[in-house]
Structures are given as C-alpha cells and as structure tokens.
Amino acid sequence: MSTFTEPGLLPRELIRLDAGVVDKADAIRQATALLTAAGCVRPAFEASMLRREQASNTYLGKGIAIPHGMVDERELIQRDGIAVLQVRGGVEWNEGQRAQLVVAIAARSDAHIGILRRLTRLMADEARIAALGRTDDAGELIQALAGIDAAPQAAEAPAEDLAQRFDWVLDYPSGLHARPATEWAATARRFAARIRVRHGDEAADARNMISLLQLGLKAGDLLTVSAEGSDAADALATLRIVLTGLSSREKADAQKAEDKRRAAARAGVWQPPGTMQSVDGVSASPGLAIGRLHRLQAGPLEIADEPIELVAAADQLHDALTRARNELRALADATGRRLGAADAGIFRAQAELLNDPALITLASQHLVEGHGLAWSWHQAVEATAASLAALGNAVLAGRATDLRDVGQRVLAQIDPALAAPTTNELPAGSILVAEDLTPTDTAGLDAERVAGLVTALGGPTSHTAILARTLGLPAVVGAGAALARLADGDEAIVDGSAGRLYLQPSAADLESARAWIATEAARRERAAQARALPALTRDGHAVAIGANINLAEQAAFALSQGAEGVGLMRTEFLFLERGDSPSEEDQYRAYRAMAEALEGRPLVIRTLDIGGDKQVAYLDLPREENPFLGVRGSRLLLRRPELLVPQLRALYRAARDGAAAISVMFPMITSAAELLALRETCERIRAELAAPTIPLGIMIEVPSAALMADELARDADFFSIGTNDLTQYTLAIDRQNPVLAPEADSLHPAVLKLIAATVAGAHAHGRWVGVCGGIAGDPHGAALLAGLGVDELSMTPRDIPAVKERLRQSELSALQALAARALAAPDAAAVRALAAVAAEATA
C-alpha cells in the first residue's frame, strides 16, 4: 500500500509553509533537504531531480509542480516519501509557468500514483488550490494530499473580470477561429499576468487557444479582456494592439474569399445534358472532374488500455508531442512553399493545439488513474473535440476535426500501429470519398492522381476545404450518409462549383463534361503561355526568375508557373521531415532528383540552415536565449562537421554525376573567414571525389554582410539576399512577434539601401545578385529590386506569373527611377505608396 494515501504518514516536518524560494533549482534543493533529513533519499537525489527537469517538464498545471528523480537512479531513494514547499508568491518553473505548491516525490516503484491522482483531482478545484497556496495550516495540505475531501464548494458563480480591463467588440467576419486565437494565446503567454477573456457569463484563459475557441465568439460579440498581476497594464495594452491589428487581415481574408466565390459564380457551372442520379452536398472547391470513386476507409479507432509506469508514460508523451510539433512545423513550412503562407497557417494553428495545458492535463489525469498512454491521450482528444463540436458552430466543428487530426499524429508517435490510413498510392483519376478528411490528408494529396474530393461531413470553411481550393481540386463536403451506399470503382463526375456528385453518367454526359473540362483547360493554357514568357522589360532588360521549393516533385508545378529554374532549394526540409539525420546517400538522391526534374535549368541549393525558428530535436542543439542571434546556418555547420561533410559530399557527387547546373550557397555568413573556411572544406571534398568545380555563393542576411559585400564578393561566386532575415536584423524586429511583425516590412528604406550596397559590391567584381526573400514575390517589391540592379528573383511558384507580368509592363529606366524614389522615402509606408504611382506610369 502506498504510504502517500494515509494522512498520518505525511509528517508535518516534510511540509514547509511560506518557503522563501529564489528559483526552481533552490526549490529542488530545499525539497531534497527535507527528504534527506527524513531519511527518504540520499543527498545526490537533488542532482537526479535537476536532471529530470532537463529531460521533461514536471509542472503539472494550475500552480502545482511535481519534481522527481530519474527512473534509472532510484537507488538514491531509501524509502518512499514526499516533501511539500508552499511558495506563496510562486516560483517560475518554466517560461510562463509559476508553481505555488512544489510537491517533490521520491518513489521506488509506482507508489507515487496515489499522490498524482489526488493532485490531478485537486486541479479541478481552483479555489481549493488557491487556498492551499496561502494557508497557514499544514493540516490542510496533509488532508488534501491524502485525499480527504474538503467541505462542498458553492455553485460556481458567473465569470468575473480581473482588476484591469478593457471592452472590445469582435469585428472579425468569421468570428474567432483558430488562426487569430493562436495569436491571442501566444501574446498572452508572453506575460506573467493572469489574463481572462469574458463574453457574457463565460470566460476563457487567454493563454489557452481551445479555451478561447470554446467561447464560440462571433462577429459583433462584446468581449471584456481583463488582467491582474505586475505586468497587467502592459499585457492589456499589447493584447489590444494584437486584437485590433488582426481586424484588417481578417477582413481582407474574408473579402478575398468573397471575391473568389463571386468569380466562380460568374464563371457559371456545367449543366449536364441528361438527367442523372446525384448526391448533393456543399460546394467547397470549384471545378469539374471525371473519375472513379475510391473510398478512404477509416473505421473506428480501437485502442487497447494498457497501463504503463507513470514516469515512463510522461517521458513517452513528452517525446511524442515534441516529434509531432516538429512534424507540424515542417509541414507548415513545406505547405507555405507549396501552397502559400495562409495555408501554412493551418498547420501552425494545429501545432498550437498541442500546447494546450488543459488537453495535456486531461491526458495526465487518465494516466495517474492507471490507464494506458495511447488510451489516455485518445480519450483526452476525443473529449475536447466533442466539446468543440457540441457548440453548434460550423467553424468550431472544423477545429474539432483539426484536433482529432493532430491527436492522431501524436498517437502515431506513441504507437506506429495506430497511424491513420494514408492516401498514398491512389489509382490515377480517383474521386476520393471519405466520411471526412483531415488537413493532413488533404495537404498530402497528389493532385496528379486525385481528380476530386467528396466527404460526408465538413463545411466550406473547414481547413480541408481551404486546402482543396488551393490545390485546385474540385471538392464537395457535407454530402451526408448517402456516400455510404456508393461502390468503389464506379465512374462519376464531381462538380465542386455546384456542390454535387453525379453518378452513373451516360456517354453523352461524359462527352459534355469532357468538353467543358477541355474548354477550361484551354483557358488555363492561354494563361500558362503568358507565364512561360521571360521577364523582359519593354526596353529589353532581362531579370531571371526562379522558384523557392524543397522537393523534386514540386519542380513540375514551379515550371508550369513560369519558373526558369530553382533559386532556392531549402535542404533543411530533408532534416525536418524525419526523426534522424539523412545519410549522404539520402541527400545525394534528393539533389540528383531535383536536378533531373529541372532538366538542366539552374539549381541553387542552400546548405543546411538550422537554428533560429527552425529547430531539429534529434540534433540536440543547445537551448539559446536568442536563437536568431546564436549558432545557426553556417555557424552551426562549421561547428558540426558531421552535418557539413556528408552534405557537401552529396552535393559534389551529384555535380560529378550529371547535375551540372548546381550552385551551392551558404546561409548566415557574417565574415570572409567563415566563407574561406567553407571553401577550403569544399575544395578538399571536390578533389577527393574528382568532382567538377561548382559556383559557391553566400546568403546576405545580416547588415554586416551587406556592408562588406565588396570584400565578400572577392571570394563568393554570387550572392542571394534573404530579405526576411535581413529585415529582421536591420530593424531589430522578430518577424514572428505577433505585435511587431507588421512593422517588419522588407520595403523599409534601410533594408533597400543595404540591398543597393550589396548589388554595388557584387557588380564591382562581376558577381550576380539574387533575392530569395518575401519581397521578390511581391510585384511592387520585384519592380523595386529590378530597379536596384538585382539580377535574379526567386519566389513561391504561385507568385511568378504576377511578377513576370509586372516586369514585362515596365522599362528599366522607370524601374531605376522608382528605386531611387524608394531609397529617398522616409519609411516603408511611403515606399509602398509608390506602387500607385508606378501603376499609373505603366498603364
């Protein structure tokens, strides 16, 4: 029997009220001293608990931390025991987490489950936890931790506001959905203050995205945002800026969606010549396609409840969450390059779901009650998703689908046998039929093999519908139970514009549909022909146009959009999308495949750019206070030859074996010494492999590199300017900061002057300059860059047609005059205002 379950066996001498604690390490030291004095542990147990803190988070939630030792160091425990520190002011446990009750556990087996069960039950009673955090009676703590119930609590009163507050009417056209809620929560977590968002009698913790979504906020709802704590005023001021600042983006997104809807309506829909049986649903993505039905079977998920040792379960859950977050980060980045930033935001919002403390706490509660890890996680996800779906809001029902999607991703990390069925290896021309599709399913579809989508559930605002529209796949959602009666392999016509699936089409129906599809294809072909034209100004100045992509399979789409090559292949995605480092052979095959897909066109490959906002868990990179100013890019490669050498060997092997158009560039270069060290390694490897010489360039991402361009150009064969990072470092604004990000504008005159200096330094030595940052894909930004003398622009493939059109409408002299005016402008807003002037000049 656990000694933790009996009140008499939690001695008062193991409880310290109103402990004076400096920091987490001091709390662990004091708790170890109590346990040592009671004969529970040896003094070395303190170091074991500190090692546990490095391995996993022992903050249980709601002001309670449960430090304990490493599993393989239980020989330091002489007998089971717990020590409790009451820290009335709280001690920071991890960033954004403050512990008022530190319950240090020494347990040789599973004796700690009893105390964890009581702690998790206590977490449902916030009033009692608050009382325990300030009580002067150690007996109250003994009773609570021994499981003796306190007096019944009064019925919960309507939510009240905290000390400082402001009112605001939500004006987001689509209400509060996942993406803005993610930014609200991220902003709130930057402050120590408690922050509450109230609507009527219901309130949510502003740090918790799911809690915010469960308010079911619609456009026009009156909110009260309140806070208390030392930085409450700053927190409210910042949140007001974020909340109101997102309004323009939300309204613009809603207007774009409406414009697309109207354009689709103007285009009309196909009218079949005869009468056909059909299944009606809701239009999610326009277009017409013929194919054969292919059902995605995803029956009910059965998960065995297999109990697991609690400490091991905590470690496994932490690891699974970390790997799932890394997968989602990689998927967001890949989706951003393939489909655009807005669609990438879907997966960033999904990653935020994994930061929800209520979800993880619920899973922990199941674990401490003795249930299995996979079962506990699945139950927590299903309960939370059901609460979202029950709100009767279509948008929030879509978030329930997202939660199940991300929950499934974690399940697959816990037990690969629980991975969801994939959409790989579908027959060509499939009309995919499913009860529902997750964003992960949809983003991973091969548009060359899938003709269209039809789902029984879902709505036109779901993330799956958004992704289908971006992929250009006709899609019908909400078609209901009728889909269950359809047979695999039957021919059908999916009309995404009308929201209808036509069954058993006749020969005449098929002929009519094919004619309609051919007419649409001819229209797209005319547009594609314009994309294929070079970016040649009216007076004959050519600007090379490349694409930013990650994988060889993305090359065909980039070329169809008018890319003349690849100006940036990001090799970090070979590392981010897996659980271990790719081998030299893995990388060699990837680089050869990309070169072959481009059929001799230029290919600029960037070496591994890890650090800053791109972290890889399995590389065991040290935690840095400011990773953007730390060991990232080439700084990392020069310190980790086991990463640099296999990559360079793979690149030179690819060049030797036929990938003649390869160029290599190194990121985050700040000095000539770094470049020379890298060139020396390249030359040694080239000679060992008897490989050809290949151009070696550098990224210009920091002001020092731009200002030293003349010197760096002596040793670099070309430059590529990363305007996103250059802007961040020039303006001292973290481009991921939700408050300041709108001010991190790459068209700021200071950034443009550094670009001009880079071009001058490069051209003085006959080197070419490219830009692969965000403004290259903005038609106005591209015009300015061409005017500044940039030789090559590389961008997301979908941005290429508009950029080419803008340059073809211009004369070089006009672009140079525009650039001169931009350099003399006082701020980024004035530079952007020049777009209207330029439009009039080219009209």
Side-chain angles (χ1 to χ4, degrees), residues 223-305:
L223 314 180
T224 297
V225 184
S226 61
E228 66 180 15
S230 59
D231 56 358
D234 289 342
L236 289 180
T238 303
L239 265 173
R240 186 191 289 269
I241 292 172
V242 171
L243 269 60
T244 57
L246 290 173
S247 294
S248 58
R249 186 191 73 182
E250 291 296 306
K251 291 174 182 175
D253 287 349
Q255 186 60 51
K256 288 179 183 176
E258 178 62 16
D259 290 345
K260 287 182 179 180
R261 188 194 65 78
R262 290 176 177 171
R266 288 195 299 269
V269 295
W270 171 67
Q271 295 295 328
T275 300
M276 274 188 291
Q277 180 186 355
S278 66
V279 175
D280 287 349
V282 178
S283 171
S285 178
L288 191 71
I290 302 169
R292 293 194 176 274
L293 301 178
H294 183 90
R295 185 181 304 280
L296 182 64
Q297 300 289 354
L301 193 60
E302 295 184 4
I303 299 176
D305 188 2

Side-chain angles (χ1 to χ4, degrees), residues 395-449:
V395 174
L396 296 185
R399 299 305 78 78
T401 299
D402 284 338
L403 182 57
R404 290 188 171 103
D405 185 15
V406 76
Q408 179 69 58
R409 187 178 292 277
V410 176
L411 271 182
Q413 295 293 343
I414 294 171
D415 182 356
L418 297 174
T422 69
T423 55
N424 295 335
E425 305 302 326
L426 291 171
S430 293
I431 296 176
L432 195 59
V433 178
E435 181 177 11
D436 202 359
L437 286 171
T438 67
T440 298
D441 292 331
T442 311
L445 291 175
D446 181 354
E448 297 298 317
R449 305 185 70 81

Side-chain angles (χ1 to χ4, degrees), residues 12 17-18 86 88 131-141:
R12 290 176 183 268
L17 299 176
D18 197 16
Q86 179 204 60
R88 293 181 181 174
L132 293 174
R134 58 178 181 267
T135 184
D136 293 319
D137 183 359
E140 291 186 22
L141 282 165

Side-chain angles (χ1 to χ4, degrees), residues 541-545 759 762-763 767-770 785 789-793:
H541 177 74
V543 179
I545 301 295
V759 171
H763 287 180
R767 312 302 195 193
W768 64 266
V769 180
L785 294 172
V790 169
D791 305 290
E792 182 246 21
L793 301 173

Side-chain angles (χ1 to χ4, degrees), residues 20 355 414 459 463 500 506 832:
N355 295 327
I414 294 171
H463 285 158
R500 185 169 294 159
S506 67
R832 290 202 174 275

Side-chain angles (χ1 to χ4, degrees), residues 657-683:
D657 296 346
I662 283 181
S663 298
V664 174
M665 64 178 174
F666 298 103
M668 197 66 181
I669 292 292
T670 56
S671 70
E674 292 171 331
L675 175 57
L676 290 171
L678 290 164
R679 290 196 74 107
E680 181 180 347
T681 302
C682 287
E683 179 54 29

Side-chain angles (χ1 to χ4, degrees), residues 663-833:
S663 298
V664 174
M665 64 178 174
F666 298 103
M668 197 66 181
I669 292 292
T670 56
S671 70
E674 292 171 331
L675 175 57
L676 290 171
L678 290 164
R679 290 196 74 107
E680 181 180 347
T681 302
C682 287
E683 179 54 29
R684 174 174 57 81
I685 290 172
R686 186 203 66 76
E688 288 174 359
L689 296 173
T693 299
I694 57 179
L696 301 176
I698 64 172
M699 295 283 291
I700 302 293
E701 299 171 280
V702 296
S704 63
L707 295 171
M708 298 287 288
D710 181 66
E711 288 77 9
L712 290 170
R714 302 175 194 276
D715 300 300
D717 296 319
F718 63 92
F719 291 158
S720 185
I721 302 173
T723 55
N724 298 338
D725 269 330
L726 183 61
T727 301
Q728 173 174 247
Y729 293 126
T730 301
L731 302 182
I733 293 177
D734 180 352
R735 54 192 169 93
Q736 295 183 318
N737 185 302
V739 178
L740 296 176
E743 299 175 32
D745 194 329
S746 296
L747 293 186
H748 192 288
V751 179
L752 297 180
K753 287 178 181 179
L754 289 173
I755 294 172
T758 301
V759 171
H763 287 180
H765 296 273
R767 312 302 195 193
W768 64 266
V769 180
V771 170
C772 58
I775 58 171
D778 172 5
H780 181 51
L784 289 170
L785 294 172
L788 290 171
V790 169
D791 305 290
E792 182 246 21
L793 301 173
S794 191
M795 64 207 71
T796 298
R798 291 185 182 277
D799 292 334
I800 291 174
V803 166
K804 280 190 161 185
E805 183 179 16
R806 174 68 176 86
L807 295 176
R808 284 196 297 265
Q809 293 173 345
S810 309
E811 293 185 357
L812 179 60
S813 58
L815 296 177
Q816 292 170 333
L818 179 66
R821 294 184 65 179
L823 293 173
D827 53 35
V831 174
R832 290 202 174 275

